[in-house]
């Protein structure tokens, strides 16, 4: 039996007290900039998934503060990822988290997912990210800072 992704994910905006934002350059299925993201495992709580994805993608664990914003967005799954989901699953719910750091830190990437990272001011980060949900989360952060 094929194992499919759960159509729920987390988005973790990593940012600093001076409004610098961490972006990761995704490798597959095409190259683009994004915040930390990932699907929830079976029976996994959103907060646990946010911590796991942050650790897997950046090696960050206790350097900052994880914040559950209580926000979520539903989006249509891009056709380039549709084979990862069960047949007839067309939408994903993404839960928004933030990870606040005092200042930029060095990141250790998972080379299987990302090829580079950069710290950008929030305006440049909004312009650089690919997905509309990532842009919306960054715009919301900008309004809260």
């Amino acid at each position: 039996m094929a194992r499919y992704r759960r159509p729920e994910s987390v988005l973790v905006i990593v940012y600093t007290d001076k409004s610098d934002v961490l972006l990761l350059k995704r490798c597959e299925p095409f190259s683009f900039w994004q915040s930390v993201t990932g699907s929830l495992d079976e029976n996994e709580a959103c907060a646990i998934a946010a911590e796991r994805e942050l650790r897997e993608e950046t090696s960050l664990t206790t350097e900052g503060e994880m914040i559950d914003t209580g926000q979520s967005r539903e989006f249509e799954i891009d056709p380039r990822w549709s084979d990862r989901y069960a047949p007839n699953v067309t939408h994903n719910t993404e839960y928004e988290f933030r990870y606040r750091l005092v200042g930029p830190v060095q990141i250790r990437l998972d080379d299987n997912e990302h090829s580079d990272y950069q710290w950008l001011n929030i305006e440049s980060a909004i312009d650089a990210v690919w997905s509309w949900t990532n842009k919306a989360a960054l715009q919301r952060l900008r309004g809260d800072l």
Side-chain angles (χ1 to χ4, degrees):
M1 180 175 184
R3 181 139 176 109
Y4 296 108
R5 282 194 181 177
R6 181 175 164 184
E8 292 180 280
S9 61
V10 292
L11 171 72
V12 183
I13 304 290
V14 180
Y15 72 102
T16 70
D17 288 346
K18 292 188 177 182
S19 303
D20 293 317
V21 175
L22 174 67
L23 293 184
L24 309 176
K25 190 171 189 180
R26 182 92 186 192
C27 301
E28 296 289 330
F30 61 100
S31 179
F32 62 93
W33 291 100
Q34 67 175 153
S35 294
V36 171
T37 63
S39 295
L40 275 69
D41 289 338
E42 188 175 340
N43 299 317
E44 185 177 38
C46 297
I48 301 300
E51 291 173 357
R52 176 181 54 75
E53 289 293 340
L54 180 72
R55 182 182 65 254
E56 289 175 0
E57 295 185 9
T58 68
S59 75
L60 296 172
T61 55
T62 60
E63 298 81 357
E65 173 190 11
M66 183 69 76
I67 303 158
D68 182 348
T69 68
Q71 296 291 308
S72 65
R73 295 172 186 84
E74 184 177 90
F75 63 88
E76 188 170 353
I77 296 169
D78 186 289
R80 290 170 276 206
W81 282 279
S82 63
D83 63 332
R84 299 175 184 186
Y85 298 89
N88 301 317
V89 172
T90 59
H91 288 78
N92 184 82
T93 301
E94 180 179 77
Y95 303 96
E96 180 185 307
F97 288 80
R98 296 175 181 167
Y99 192 72
R100 186 187 65 77
L101 294 163
V102 173
V105 296
Q106 196 164 16
I107 301 302
R108 190 176 68 239
L109 295 174
D110 176 353
D111 295 336
N112 294 322
E113 286 191 66
H114 300 101
S115 61
D116 200 4
Y117 76 90
Q118 61 182 335
W119 289 96
L120 296 174
N121 67 58
I122 197 161
E123 293 301 327
S124 297
I126 291 168
D127 290 340
V129 294
W130 171 75
S131 81
W132 72 266
T133 62
N134 206 159
K135 286 184 188 299
L138 287 167
Q139 290 165 341
R140 191 168 128 63
L141 173 63
R142 178 182 60 195
D144 290 346
L145 293 178

